[in-house]
Amino acid sequence: MSLYENSVILAPMVRIGTLPSRLLSLRYGADLVYTEEMIDFKMLKTRRVVNEMLNTVDFVMDDGTVAFRTCDAEKDRVIFQIGTCHAKRALKVAKMVEKDVAGIDINMGCPKTFSISGGMGAALLKQPDLVKEILTELTSNLSIPVTCKVRCLSTVEETVQFCKMAESTGIHALAIHGRTRDERPRHKCKHSYIQDVARELQIPVIANGGSSDIKKFSDIEKFRLACGASSVMVARAAEWNLSVFRKEGPLDKLELIEEYIKLAVDYDNHWTNTKYCIQQTLGSEVQTEQGTQLLASKSPEDIYTVYGMMDYYNSVHERHQLYLAKQQEVEER
Ligand code: FNR
């Protein structure tokens, strides 16, 4: 069975879809996890480094910033999303990560000015020839599956036509967000557009855009059925509570945050990203005393103190320090 059939998927989300969130989603029951969108130009400035201390593979910028970190635990389940408007550049990036991820996705839905002005994201919905070129370049030259994530066009006919064109390039699946480029989350998700695309395509269609009505796992299946799709991709409902992927029901946010922090510590996630992800989980609860303390935190230690996780942090930190000291010893010999 294809990876993309009958799957519940963590959607690509900038800043949210970093390694700790992806691993936690998988632990709770997600079948696949998409990375945040990685812009091709940025990825091309990185180099691949095997990080033996963390057991990760890192793509690192010259200044030491980790642009993308992954590990074995997600290797067969992680889909790398690229922001691009150029076939050769997209292929170069895909080749860089081909051995470390399960699939490549091209973002054709982002409506942000940065993407549109660069000809990326939803701008591609108006460039079918370029889309064909990009997807064909990838499907012809990669050993891993290729997908794309689109939005609705202005009519259902145009939407189906665009998706069929994408399908003809040999992609393995297509995700569709049931809103047009100009629509925002307050607008209703167009289930009927997704239904028509799912009916017309032979490849698995992944429905997206249902988070306003997704509070628990069973709501994900309801959304899938309403769209007649093969799979569902969840963004905001997971941003608010990653345990939405648990069949047994979502966890209390505090319990979830503790599990999240452990992974953030284990994988040395940048503390500002950790803080942002916890903030998004808290939502309006950020007004509580603990939330206020989180907002005021100015270091990783501040965050871990708020959630009583300093002992955990200290034990991992000590282990890392020992590893680094041993490495230095070896190098000095
Ligand atoms: C997004 N979305 C998004 N889409 C994409 O293709 N690449 C990305 O990097 C992002 N980043 C992103 C960040 C955040 C914080 C949000 C909330 C959304 C869009 C997302 O994947 C999805 O299409 C929409 O949110 C609709 O799905 P839901 O939220 O109704 O499940």
Side-chain angles (χ1 to χ4, degrees), residues 27 126 143 182 205 214 217 230 245 249 256 258 300 315 333:
R27 186 184 294 169
K126 291 191 174 152
S143 58
D182 298 324
V205 167
I214 296 176
F217 189 80
S230 184
F245 294 116
L256 161 85
E258 279 184 25
S315 67
R333 253 186 227 152

Side-chain angles (χ1 to χ4, degrees), residues 150-212:
V150 306
R151 279 183 175 242
C152 297
L153 284 92
S154 30
T155 66
V156 75
E157 291 76 20
E158 279 177 79
T159 309
V160 169
Q161 193 185 3
F162 186 91
C163 294
K164 281 189 132 179
M165 175 280 295
E167 180 182 43
S168 73
T169 64
I171 55 172
H172 282 64
L174 174 142
I176 173 162
H177 176 183
R179 294 184 179 85
T180 62
R181 166 178 151 169
D182 298 324
E183 287 177 321
R184 294 296 166 262
R186 66 176 184 281
H187 296 107
K188 261 191 158 322
C189 176
K190 299 180 198 318
H191 296 179
S192 66
Y193 277 51
I194 304 179
Q195 275 172 6
D196 279 17
V197 170
R199 204 173 27 243
E200 294 292 330
L201 266 54
Q202 307 298 315
I203 54 172
V205 167
I206 304 164
N208 173 244
S211 275
S212 308

Side-chain angles (χ1 to χ4, degrees), residues 251-270:
L251 294 173
D252 173 73
K253 284 191 180 179
L254 263 187
E255 198 176 330
L256 161 85
I257 290 170
E258 279 184 25
E259 291 205 37
Y260 175 83
I261 289 180
K262 282 186 185 164
L263 285 167
V265 170
D266 290 346
Y267 288 100
D268 197 17
N269 196 47
H270 197 281

Side-chain angles (χ1 to χ4, degrees), residues 62-75:
D62 281 347
D63 66 359
T65 311
V66 178
F68 173 54
R69 170 166 285 161
T70 184
C71 66
D72 259 356
E74 66 168 2
K75 192 171 175 177

